[in-house]
Amino acid sequence: MGFFGFGKKKKTVDDDVRETTDATAEENDAPSSVASDAGEAGEAGQQPLLGPWDINDENAPDYDEYLNMGALYLPFLFGIELRLKATNPEGHIISTTITYEHSSLEMEVFAAPKTTGIWDEIRSEFVDGRVKAQEVDGVFGKEIMLPVQVQDKEVMSRIVGVDGPRWMVRAIFTGPAATDADSEEKKALDDFFSKVVVDRGSEPLAPRDLVYLSRPLTPSQVKEIEAAKAAAAAGDDAQNADDHSELELPDDPNGYGQQSQVQHTLRRGPLFSEMR
């Protein structure tokens, strides 16, 4: 687990929601035309939000100045902290959590079939399996409100799913971003999530398989790598230019990447469930 400060650091809530479901389906090996239908039924008085976006969508935001995490490109928002969650012992990065003020947003990417989304099915299974789960209309379409026990108090979470071409992004909001429709934190994190860009890649995966994320790279680091690749002649030099696993993470002038901390265990809490 790592921390990358986008600005001032804030205390975060340990928010981990997943559901265990069996998934057996064909491997995906070609793009589909499935488009995100998030936000069909927005909250009363609010315009629906249409993101996250597929990297190949002509209407996707310009992500050149985003934080590059491989399958996810994250926009900049001053004052947020980014936390990574990795498996043990493989160390694959499976999710990222954005903390802003007293709210947090956890995101994971899942593989989906070529022609249909999976959020409707997953949402139905989730609600049917939990008495306290409530399906509501939100700014990203059908969302789930779920109270969960964290230590000695109950915390409300808001679970959102957005389908795209061969992917689904599952997001979990906690704090005022989950409970206070008029809060600045909810508006900021909803806007943040709506600007995220997804790069599913071409790796064949079964529906509901996790799409692993990459170690975060700031825009300046991406430019450094691209310059190194361009300058590399061939052979080992070219291979080393592609490998950023040992890349230093200096402070970035845009405000990304201020510190890194690694933990080799995967923490599981009351908001953690398996979706695979």
Side-chain angles (χ1 to χ4, degrees), residues 23 109-112 204-211 276:
V109 183
F110 295 87
L205 295 168
R208 302 196 188 195
D209 276 359
L210 275 167
V211 180
R276 290 172 290 172

Side-chain angles (χ1 to χ4, degrees), residues 37-38 119 140 142-143 159-163 168-171 193:
D37 60 357
W119 173 235
F140 294 100
K142 293 295 183 180
E143 303 177 352
I159 308 172
V160 172
V162 176
D163 289 311
M168 185 201 78
V169 176
R170 199 285 317 276
F193 184 57

Side-chain angles (χ1 to χ4, degrees), residues 2-275:
F3 294 86
F4 295 87
F6 284 54
K8 58 183 179 180
K9 293 179 62 180
K10 292 291 181 178
K11 186 177 181 180
T12 182
V13 177
D14 185 12
D15 54 322
D16 309 289
V17 180
R18 288 188 198 219
E19 177 178 14
T20 303
T21 56
D22 293 330
T24 57
E26 295 180 346
E27 290 186 338
N28 305 305
D29 52 15
S32 81
S33 59
V34 179
S36 170
D37 60 357
E40 285 185 356
E43 295 175 354
Q46 295 189 31
Q47 291 296 321
L49 298 176
L50 301 179
W53 302 83
D54 188 75
I55 195 169
N56 295 315
D57 192 321
E58 62 181 12
N59 296 315
D62 183 356
Y63 56 89
D64 284 348
E65 296 303 316
Y66 279 19
L67 190 71
N68 182 349
M69 295 193 65
L72 290 177
Y73 286 80
L74 306 181
F76 174 76
L77 175 62
F78 181 77
I80 65 177
E81 178 183 278
L82 184 148
R83 177 162 54 94
L84 308 180
K85 186 174 296 169
T87 59
N88 185 40
E90 293 86 358
H92 297 302
I93 300 174
I94 59 174
S95 73
T96 180
T97 299
I98 299 297
T99 302
Y100 178 67
E101 299 293 341
H102 303 290
S103 297
S104 62
L105 160 62
E106 182 195 35
M107 292 170 284
E108 288 179 308
V109 183
F110 295 87
K114 301 174 184 177
T115 57
T116 58
I118 60 175
W119 173 235
D120 287 346
E121 180 181 2
I122 288 174
R123 186 180 68 251
S124 177
E125 293 172 359
F126 195 95
V127 172
D128 290 344
R130 288 164 174 76
V131 175
K132 292 185 177 182
Q134 180 183 5
E135 185 176 285
V136 299
D137 291 330
V139 293
F140 294 100
K142 293 295 183 180
E143 303 177 352
I144 299 173
M145 300 299 294
L146 178 69
V148 291
Q149 196 71 25
V150 177
Q151 296 179 350
D152 59 346
K153 63 179 180 180
E154 191 173 71
V155 176
M156 181 63 71
S157 65
R158 176 168 63 102
I159 308 172
V160 172
V162 176
D163 289 311
R166 300 174 66 240
W167 54 259
M168 185 201 78
V169 176
R170 199 285 317 276
I172 304 163
F173 297 83
T174 58
T179 59
D180 187 351
D182 297 323
S183 72
E184 188 273 336
E185 294 175 32
K186 180 179 186 300
K187 294 174 182 176
L189 287 184
D190 280 353
D191 182 67
F192 181 96
F193 184 57
S194 73
K195 293 176 180 177
V196 167
V197 175
V198 182
D199 185 1
R200 159 66 173 80
S202 58
E203 181 183 4
L205 295 168
R208 302 196 188 195
D209 276 359
L210 275 167
V211 180
Y212 296 132
L213 305 179
S214 299
R215 187 182 184 195
L217 291 175
T218 68
S220 62
Q221 290 167 342
V222 171
K223 292 175 183 177
E224 289 176 8
I225 291 175
E226 291 176 347
K229 289 168 64 176
D236 292 340
D237 289 340
Q239 182 177 353
N240 292 336
D242 281 319
D243 181 11
H244 58 264
S245 60
E246 300 300 326
L247 186 69
E248 295 294 329
L249 291 174
D251 287 343
D252 185 87
N254 292 322
Y256 297 97
Q258 294 188 354
Q259 65 171 293
S260 173
Q261 178 182 348
V262 178
Q263 181 172 312
H264 296 290
T265 58
L266 175 62
R267 296 196 305 169
R268 292 175 176 266
L271 287 180
F272 195 96
S273 58
E274 292 287 345
M275 233 174 179

